[in-house]
Amino acid sequence: MTLIDRVEEEGNTLAGIRKLIRERTGFDLGLDKNYLIEGRLASMLSAYGCESYDSLAHTIDSDPLAYSDFVERITTHETLFFRDESLYTALAAQIIPEWLNRSQTGRLSIWSAGCSTGQEPYSILMILQKAFPQVFERTDMRGTDISSVTIARAKQGIFTSHAIGRGLSEDFLSRFFRVTDTQYQVNAELRAKVDFEVHNLQDLPYRGQYDIIFCRNVLIYFDHPLRRLVLEGFRKCLKPNGVLVLGSAESVQGYVDNYIIRECGLARYYEFNAPNVTIFPRSAG
């Protein structure tokens, strides 16, 4: 048997579970991701008494506890406070000041989509509380993730010393956290500001109207048709002059029309529904 034949055979044994991953999470995992699927789900076979991945797929599809376990294992939760510092610099130096120029008395509405264990929405709120306390008071923050386990952890706002040491300055640590043994908890004021909830980005249309949407390092796991649907969904729930912040390896180009590419230092983000919007031609994809 050739290497190609063996890969195809191994892929066929995981075909059912790959289909389930795509249907339930939107993640598009091909044959080259077999190692990832097996590495994250292999221990579920014995845990749920399954002899094959097809049997495991059936269990996941019928058992809510197995489904919750499955989503927690298959999704990626790699994140840290102030990830990609240039974007937070742009938030303080350009995005929020421009919003203030348009809305002196209104409320600021932000959605952190795919927020994982909460570092992103908490980082945003720390910036607002420190640099724009008057805006912080009238900010509505929503944080969503597909994993119920992850959302439960985000609500608690408790982080290990390892997580705290990745991207968090001493100033922010002393100002916004309290120490609990060897762990650190986000203060009650910040935790009360975030409406955390379980949400699957495949569930369209999206509710709410937002000034800023953060969705970073999520679209890279979706296939092209789903990326287009998600981005169109974001566009529809952004207010006039609303902005979308994606990961550094992600772009709206080729998926949606009518947007402006904005830059601030090394940061890039996208403005939608603006009166001076530029129409970019959509490429095939």
Side-chain angles (χ1 to χ4, degrees):
M1 179 182 294
T2 67
L3 177 60
I4 293 177
D5 290 335
R6 183 158 55 84
V7 169
E8 289 179 349
E9 182 177 298
E10 291 172 353
N12 288 335
T13 65
L14 294 173
I17 204 77
R18 279 203 310 274
K19 180 181 178 183
L20 184 68
I21 291 169
R22 174 61 181 81
E23 290 175 348
R24 293 299 191 94
T25 71
F27 286 14
D28 185 28
L29 302 180
L31 293 175
D32 62 325
K33 294 296 188 296
N34 283 353
Y35 73 93
L36 185 150
I37 296 173
E38 292 177 330
R40 296 187 180 185
L41 300 183
S43 61
M44 284 190 73
L45 294 173
S46 57
Y48 291 90
C50 299
E51 296 182 355
S52 67
Y53 283 101
D54 282 342
S55 175
L56 179 61
H58 176 75
T59 298
I60 292 168
D61 211 25
S62 58
D63 182 344
L65 290 177
Y67 170 71
S68 179
D69 189 5
F70 156 75
V71 170
E72 176 65 12
R73 289 168 182 256
I74 207 65
T75 51
T76 300
H77 305 301
E78 175 63 22
T79 187
L80 63 156
F81 289 99
F82 298 99
R83 184 177 185 178
D84 192 349
E85 188 176 352
S86 63
L87 286 173
Y88 292 95
T89 299
L91 183 70
Q94 186 163 285
I95 297 174
I96 297 302
E98 288 184 352
W99 177 83
L100 271 171
N101 287 336
R102 298 190 302 268
S103 180
Q104 291 295 328
T105 60
R107 297 194 66 81
L108 175 65
S109 182
I110 304 175
W111 178 13
S112 172
C115 70
S116 189
T117 45
Q119 283 94 322
E120 181 174 86
Y122 288 135
S123 295
I124 295 168
L125 289 175
M126 282 185 249
I127 291 288
L128 293 178
Q129 181 24 283
K130 182 177 181 180
F132 305 94
Q134 76 282 18
V135 175
F136 175 85
E137 293 300 327
R138 48 194 174 99
T139 294
D140 300 311
M141 171 70 74
R142 182 186 182 209
T144 66
D145 196 89
I146 192 174
S147 169
S148 59
V149 175
T150 295
I151 285 296
R153 291 171 58 194
K155 288 180 179 179
Q156 291 180 329
I158 297 175
F159 299 93
T160 64
S161 56
H162 174 71
I164 289 296
R166 302 178 67 198
L168 197 65
S169 69
E170 286 294 330
D171 178 44
F172 282 121
L173 180 60
S174 61
R175 184 167 182 163
F176 297 109
F177 289 79
R178 67 182 184 90
V179 181
T180 58
D181 297 327
T182 59
Q183 296 181 314
Y184 302 80
Q185 185 173 35
V186 177
N187 68 29
E189 184 181 28
L190 260 63
R191 284 185 282 121
K193 268 288 182 183
V194 192
D195 179 18
F196 284 113
E197 62 178 320
V198 177
H199 178 259
N200 190 328
L201 286 172
Q202 294 186 108
D203 295 340
L204 292 150
Y206 303 143
R207 66 171 176 84
Q209 289 287 295
Y210 304 94
D211 297 290
I212 309 170
I213 296 176
F214 283 76
C215 184
R216 298 194 291 157
N217 307 304
V218 177
L219 297 183
I220 54 175
Y221 297 103
F222 296 164
D223 62 20
H224 291 283
L226 183 55
R227 289 182 197 178
R228 179 170 289 124
L229 287 173
V230 170
L231 287 168
E232 284 286 0
F234 287 155
R235 183 185 62 78
K236 290 176 182 177
C237 64
L238 276 168
K239 296 177 184 179
N241 298 104
V243 302
L244 172 66
V245 182
L246 300 178
S248 59
E250 299 166 324
S251 172
V252 306
Q253 190 168 0
Y255 297 104
V256 295
D257 300 324
N258 301 354
Y259 63 89
I260 299 171
I261 298 176
R262 300 294 309 279
E263 294 183 340
C264 179
L266 297 176
R268 170 179 286 196
Y269 59 95
Y270 304 89
E271 184 175 337
F272 288 81
N273 307 325
N276 60 335
V277 75
T278 301
I279 298 178
F280 286 78
R282 177 179 294 172
S283 62

